[in-house]
Amino acid sequence: MKEITAKEVEQAIVKGKELSLIDVREVDEVAAGHIPGIIHIPLGLLEFRVQDLNKDEPYIMVCRSGARSSRATEILEGKGFNVSNMVGGMLSWEGEVHY
């Protein structure tokens, strides 16, 4: 499984790189604070929303601590997607947060 740190994600965003971040937390968790520009797909709905994603686009999975996003990464990898897990999740995020 490919992994990326929260700091690496933050630095890429600061440099203006366009990233496709998928936040797999629940609605109330995302409402309490999320990385700007995320795609929100709760983990329980991921299998149903796979057709909305582009296999040619790399994705970075995000959750609170990195556990659910790790599971999401495994699911999408198994379906042929280019996907990385943001290690440590939002607990490790020090960048901008939207509410």
Side-chain angles (χ1 to χ4, degrees):
M1 174 184 310
K2 290 192 288 187
E3 296 181 330
I4 188 168
T5 67
K7 187 52 99 180
E8 289 170 325
V9 171
E10 180 185 358
Q11 289 170 345
I13 291 171
V14 167
K15 290 178 182 171
K17 186 171 183 187
E18 294 221 9
L19 302 177
S20 293
L21 303 168
I22 299 177
D23 194 322
V24 296
R25 297 177 296 158
E26 296 300 319
V27 173
D28 59 328
E29 293 174 288
V30 171
H34 60 273
I35 299 169
I38 57 121
I39 300 164
H40 178 224
I41 305 175
L43 181 59
L45 299 178
L46 186 61
E47 298 256 15
F48 303 103
R49 297 277 308 274
V50 164
Q51 73 278 0
D52 299 336
L53 303 175
N54 180 351
K55 283 193 177 178
D56 296 328
E57 189 172 337
Y59 293 100
I60 298 170
M61 308 309 289
V62 179
C63 71
R64 188 181 78 81
S65 66
R68 282 176 284 179
S69 57
S70 175
R71 177 70 189 120
T73 300
E74 290 174 355
I75 290 168
L76 291 181
E77 275 182 342
K79 295 186 180 298
F81 285 88
N82 176 7
V83 60
S84 301
N85 182 34
M86 188 174 91
V87 180
M90 289 301 290
L91 293 175
S92 298
W93 182 254
E94 296 176 357
E96 184 180 353
V97 174
H98 283 194
Y99 299 95

